[in-house]
Amino acid sequence: MTPGPLDQDALRHAVGPPTGPWASLDVVARTGSTNADLLARTSGPDAAPDRTVLVAEHQDAGRGRRDRVWEDRAGEGLTFSILLRPREVAVERWGWAPLLAGLALVEAIDRVTGGQVPAALKWPNDLLLGADPAKGAGILAEVGGGRDDDRTLVVGIGLNVGTAVADLPPGATSLAAEGFGHLDLETVLVAVLRALADLDARWRGAHGDVVAAGIVEDYRARCATLGREVTVTLPGGRVLEGRAVDVDRDGRLAVREPGGDTTVVSAGDVVHVRPAAR
């Protein structure tokens, strides 16, 4: 895929007002972090409206969970954030935000590749691509604002699209590496944004009840973590080992230990979730 600037006007026409699901969409050539930019706009005179999208051609201070670095190569991937004000959903249920974003990525990859690139989810915030699964995208959800009635969700996504195999870090892949380097960035981004808008509408329509919305079953079906023996590293060096048996209605991972006890952990509780050593 030949790198090129994103077409802001085409993106707005496809998913922006007045007929699209997103209220605002901007493309910037470069920034430190799209998440940080939107978090700075949660309130005040420059407050961003619900369903705002900010896309960067390149960001040089991207972050993952626990302040890990997310690296991108200009023109070869998608780095963008969305701002949501889901007043229909209790704040206690906002932990589903990164899981919704992950599910949207899987649905979008299925759509743009015609199902030819295997796509699955590693709980809580990674997209896995390929027959030999490797990380194709990372997700970071953060809460901004102060009071409960002013709190805002910002969800950042970094997706490897056109990066060649030789330029990928260990353990990573891209759509190009999986044989779909001909896809343009706009096509992929529009597919992700449409899928996420649909899931967000279902989530809000059910007031955050992912069981009633059918979202939890969709997620479980695409979660590669389930059914696996895993090692979960917790803060303070504690390690939990067992079989990942469920993702519950609150978005938490249930791990059944060898002795039969089941421990439930939230995304904020864990440092790493990895396949158990064999």
Side-chain angles (χ1 to χ4, degrees):
M1 182 179 66
T2 302
L6 287 162
D7 189 332
Q8 178 176 268
D9 290 339
L11 289 168
R12 287 176 172 173
H13 179 75
V15 295
T19 59
W22 297 97
S24 172
L25 187 151
D26 291 303
V27 177
V28 296
R30 190 183 191 97
T31 191
S33 162
T34 53
N35 260 34
D37 290 348
L38 286 186
L39 285 168
R41 296 179 56 198
T42 57
S43 59
D46 191 36
D50 183 23
R51 297 186 176 95
T52 288
V53 181
L54 177 63
V55 189
E57 301 275 5
H58 177 62
Q59 62 175 19
D60 50 28
R63 296 171 293 120
R65 291 182 64 248
R66 297 186 173 270
D67 290 327
R68 299 176 189 126
V69 175
W70 175 269
E71 298 180 5
D72 72 333
R73 294 169 60 91
E76 294 184 357
L78 289 169
T79 53
F80 63 100
S81 297
I82 61 161
L83 182 147
L84 301 172
R85 301 180 185 274
R87 299 291 175 256
E88 306 88 340
V89 179
V91 172
E92 304 82 67
R93 290 180 165 177
W94 285 12
W96 260 90
L99 281 66
L100 291 176
L103 192 53
L105 283 168
V106 168
E107 293 179 359
I109 297 305
D110 280 351
R111 186 170 300 130
V112 298
T113 69
Q116 295 184 58
V117 174
L121 297 166
K122 176 188 171 188
W123 184 92
N125 68 322
D126 288 347
L127 171 74
L128 304 177
L129 297 176
D132 184 15
K135 183 173 179 176
I139 301 161
L140 176 65
E142 300 178 274
V143 176
R147 306 179 309 276
D148 281 355
D149 61 355
D150 189 41
R151 298 181 93 177
T152 305
L153 263 173
V154 174
V155 182
I157 296 174
L159 173 63
N160 298 327
V161 180
T163 310
V165 174
D167 296 322
L168 289 162
T173 189
S174 67
L175 288 175
E178 301 300 330
F180 277 81
H182 60 280
L183 292 172
D184 64 83
L185 294 176
E186 284 93 351
T187 296
V188 180
L189 180 56
V190 166
V192 175
L193 290 175
R194 285 177 174 164
L196 184 53
D198 289 345
L199 286 165
D200 177 55
R202 287 169 59 189
W203 186 53
R204 296 191 197 205
H207 300 285
D209 187 338
V210 292
V211 175
I215 292 171
V216 70
E217 289 302 325
D218 291 345
Y219 185 89
R220 288 168 178 159
R222 306 308 294 263
C223 183
T225 306
L226 293 180
R228 292 283 193 86
E229 297 295 325
V230 296
T231 298
V232 181
T233 304
L234 303 168
R238 182 188 168 204
V239 174
L240 171 66
E241 294 184 332
R243 181 178 291 269
V245 294
D246 193 22
V247 172
D248 70 12
R249 66 188 304 145
D250 294 318
R252 302 174 300 177
L253 183 70
V255 179
R256 183 174 297 139
E257 299 173 72
D261 292 336
T262 298
T263 300
V264 178
V265 293
S266 68
D269 294 333
V270 305
V271 177
H272 290 294
V273 179
R274 293 192 170 109
R278 295 183 179 178

